Amino acid sequence: MHDFHVHSNYSDGSFLRGMVRAAESAGLEGIGFADHCNVADRAGANGMRTLYGFNLDLTYERRREGIECVREETSIPVYDAVEMDYNPRDEAEIETFLDDAGFDYSIGSVHTVGGENVQILSAFAERTDEELNAVVDDYFDTLVSLVESDLFDIAAHVDLIERTPPLRGRATTDHYRRVAQAFADSSTIPELNAGRALTDAEIVHPSSPFLSTLREYDVPVTVGSDSHRPGEIGERATFLEEYAAELGLEPVAPATVLES
C-alpha cells in the first residue's frame, strides 16, 4: 500500500519528517509528497499564492533537499511530486515548469471554475439552479481538458464539487462518461482520494456512480489519502486499503514510478 498524495509544510501540510514517520507507523510501502503549486500569472492566482503560500515553483529545489534528508532516515520510498492547479490557459507554463522541475510524478487538479474555488460554499450559496448546473458543466469541461492535456500522471479528487453542498449531486452520467472516455484515451489516471472520507460527509472521490462508470471504461485508479497532518495518514490509508479490497480494486502506481 502506497500513498501517492500527501502534503507537507511546503504548501498546507506538516513537516516532512513527521509525515514520513506516520507513513512508516501505518505500514505504508511508500509515500509521495504532492504539494500545491500554481504557475498562473493572474491576479486571482497570485492572490491565492500570496495568501496561502502555494509557491512550490519557487521552493521545490529546497523541498527536494529535505526529501533527500528524510530518505536517508527511512527504508520506504519517498517520492518527490507536485499537485498542480490546472487551467487550460496555463498549459504552456505548466508544461515548461514540469519539464524543468523533473518530479517523480505529477498530479493535476481542478480547484477553480470561473474564478471561484469550487470548495467555497459561500461562493455558490445564492446561485440559481441554472447557474449551479453551469458551474458543474464548466468543472467537468475543465477536468476533461486536464486529462486530454496528458500533462499529468494522476488527476486528483476528480469530483471535487461533491464537497460543496450547492454543487453536490448535480453531476450526471453524461458528465461521468465524458471523463471516463477521456481517461480511457489518456495515460493520466484518477485517484481514490480519502481527503473527506472519514468526515461526517463521508465523501470518497470519485463517488460510487462515478467510480462505476470509470470501471465500465476499464480505467485504473491509484490511491491518495490527501493527508495534511501525520495523524491523518494511518486512518486514511487503512480506509483506502479496505475500500479498494471491498470493491475488488487493485490500485496502480503512476507509470513514472513503475519505470524508475
Side-chain angles (χ1 to χ4, degrees):
M1 179 71 182
H2 288 67
D3 186 346
F4 291 110
H5 184 169
V6 305
H7 296 275
S8 81
N9 57 299
Y10 283 84
S11 60
D12 56 349
S14 298
F15 294 123
L16 293 164
R17 180 177 282 125
M19 298 295 279
V20 171
R21 287 177 176 169
E24 292 173 329
S25 297
L28 291 176
E29 298 174 81
I31 182 173
F33 288 100
D35 284 301
H36 292 286
C37 186
N38 191 317
V39 295
D41 188 17
R42 290 185 294 277
N46 284 329
M48 182 71 70
R49 291 171 60 165
T50 300
L51 185 62
Y52 294 107
F54 292 174
N55 296 306
L56 194 67
D57 56 319
L58 305 179
T59 61
Y60 73 91
E61 292 176 311
R62 177 62 60 86
R63 192 194 68 169
R64 188 164 290 162
E65 293 176 11
I67 287 175
E68 288 297 338
C69 290
V70 296
R71 281 173 174 164
E72 295 175 1
E73 302 172 354
T74 184
S75 60
I76 65 173
V78 180
Y79 300 109
D80 173 23
V82 62
E83 181 182 353
M84 201 86 208
D85 278 341
Y86 174 81
N87 185 303
R89 292 178 289 177
D90 304 325
E91 285 190 7
E93 291 80 4
I94 292 171
E95 183 174 18
T96 297
F97 171 64
L98 292 178
D99 286 346
D100 289 345
F103 294 106
D104 292 331
Y105 58 88
S106 60
I107 299 177
S109 57
V110 178
H111 289 95
T112 302
V113 172
E116 299 286 358
N117 188 314
V118 297
Q119 298 179 93
I120 305 301
L121 187 151
S122 59
F124 306 102
E126 303 300 324
R127 299 201 187 189
T128 66
D129 283 341
E130 182 178 2
E131 290 170 333
L132 293 170
N133 290 335
V135 171
V136 173
D137 287 342
D138 288 346
Y139 174 84
F140 282 103
D141 286 344
T142 307
L143 181 60
V144 168
S145 293
L146 181 156
V147 177
E148 291 179 342
S149 75
D150 277 326
L151 288 169
F152 308 103
D153 301 290
I154 296 171
H157 36 63
V158 291
D159 50 358
L160 191 65
I161 53 172
E162 293 299 314
R163 294 184 182 182
T164 307
L167 301 174
R168 187 177 302 154
R170 293 180 179 273
T172 67
T173 300
D174 287 341
H175 289 126
Y176 296 155
R177 290 193 179 280
R178 280 191 63 213
V179 178
Q181 185 62 64
F183 277 121
D185 295 336
S186 170
S187 60
T188 304
I189 54 177
E191 64 173 6
L192 286 179
N193 181 293
R196 296 293 186 277
L198 301 179
T199 65
D200 290 342
E202 298 183 334
I203 296 169
V204 183
H205 303 290
S207 65
S208 292
F210 195 175
L211 181 58
S212 296
T213 303
L214 292 170
R215 298 182 76 177
E216 286 178 27
Y217 284 74
D218 295 322
V219 174
V221 296
T222 188
V223 288
S225 72
D226 209 346
S227 295
H228 293 69
R229 303 288 179 266
E232 297 168 345
I233 291 177
E235 289 184 340
R236 293 184 185 182
T238 297
F239 170 84
L240 286 168
E241 188 169 25
E242 293 176 350
Y243 187 76
E246 181 181 343
L247 296 176
L249 292 170
E250 295 185 9
V252 301
T256 49
V257 171
L258 295 173
E259 292 164 1
S260 62

